[in-house]
Amino acid sequence: MKIALYPGSFNPVHNGHIQLARSVVEQHLADEVWLVISPHNPLKESALLQDEVHREAMICLALEGEKGLFASTVEFTMPRPSYTIDTIRELQRMNPGDQYVLMIGSDNALIFNQWKEYQELLSIVEVYVYPRRGFSVSEALALYPKMRALNTPYYDISSTQLREWIRQGVDTSDWLHPDVQEYISVNHLYL
């Protein structure tokens, strides 16, 4: 089976994440997409990060009924901070018959040389790059010709923006699954 790993904080998961993952399955670029919840991204500040239990619960709500999309908590039991190369090695050990590809945003692709063992990572998995506002996909591909641009719609939203809107009381219903929105409200998250 070909599995696209979509790592992220998902703090919170939003419709752009889900639509991007769905498009990869619909285009037959992978049989499944696993949203790999990162307990702590070593390249990001962790102070604003909701507990992983909340982030997992929100992803499970958002993925209910989605064909081929799954939440992965593999990094929850691994040493922290989480490094993608270690996650992929662990998944290859656990499921040696599966083939993995990696989905990253153009923002991360441009700093790929800061990732642990990035050259090894490029040699063991195909890397799909999706667009992020202000970060050129073509520039990333020029730096790393082995990467592949995803031909997917552009979703001009970020979890950072959504957290700010939640704090301000702005309506986020266009970007959050209704069950995720309710979960955030009931648990008083991001206030």
Side-chain angles (χ1 to χ4, degrees):
M1 184 176 303
K2 188 174 186 179
I3 299 164
L5 302 175
Y6 184 5
S9 300
F10 303 108
N11 187 38
V13 64
H14 56 68
N15 295 342
H17 293 132
I18 305 307
Q19 292 166 358
L20 176 62
R22 187 187 300 140
S23 72
V24 168
V25 171
E26 288 172 351
Q27 292 180 45
H28 306 288
L29 298 172
D31 300 305
E32 296 178 355
V33 175
W34 293 1
L35 283 75
V36 181
I37 308 162
S38 301
H40 174 218
N41 178 332
L43 298 176
K44 286 187 178 178
E45 174 61 49
S46 63
L48 302 174
L49 199 57
Q50 280 298 327
D51 187 274
E52 60 203 39
V53 173
H54 287 306
R55 292 181 288 129
E56 178 189 7
M58 289 186 282
I59 286 182
C60 289
L61 289 169
L63 294 182
E64 182 122 3
E66 290 286 344
K67 192 172 184 177
L69 307 185
F70 301 94
S72 172
T73 59
V74 65
E75 292 186 352
F76 288 11
T77 58
M78 295 177 63
R80 297 179 190 193
S82 307
Y83 294 101
T84 302
I85 187 79
D86 298 329
T87 302
I88 290 173
R89 286 177 178 145
E90 177 65 10
L91 289 169
Q92 288 174 331
R93 185 192 65 74
M94 292 167 58
N95 309 299
D98 291 335
Q99 175 190 356
Y100 295 98
V101 298
L102 177 63
M103 296 170 54
I104 64 172
S106 54
D107 54 338
N108 277 305
L110 287 168
I111 58 166
F112 202 67
N113 63 328
Q114 295 178 32
W115 290 40
K116 180 181 176 185
E117 297 179 45
Y118 74 96
Q119 291 171 322
E120 174 68 11
L121 192 51
L122 279 171
S123 74
I124 63 172
V125 294
E126 192 172 7
V127 178
Y128 296 162
V129 180
Y130 58 88
R132 293 291 307 264
R133 182 178 4 155
F135 301 94
S136 168
V137 171
S138 57
E139 190 178 322
L141 298 182
L143 291 170
Y144 306 102
K146 290 181 78 175
M147 291 183 179
R148 176 179 172 185
L150 280 176
N151 184 16
T152 55
Y154 173 66
Y155 304 103
D156 192 16
I157 192 65
S158 70
S159 294
T160 303
Q161 181 65 62
L162 284 168
R163 289 192 305 272
E164 185 59 32
W165 285 348
I166 291 166
R167 269 191 293 281
Q168 295 172 358
V170 174
D171 179 16
T172 56
S173 60
D174 286 346
W175 287 106
L176 293 174
H177 186 285
D179 293 342
V180 171
Q181 203 164 12
E182 182 178 352
Y183 185 93
I184 289 169
S185 177
V186 166
N187 290 282
H188 309 290
L189 304 181
Y190 307 115
L191 297 176

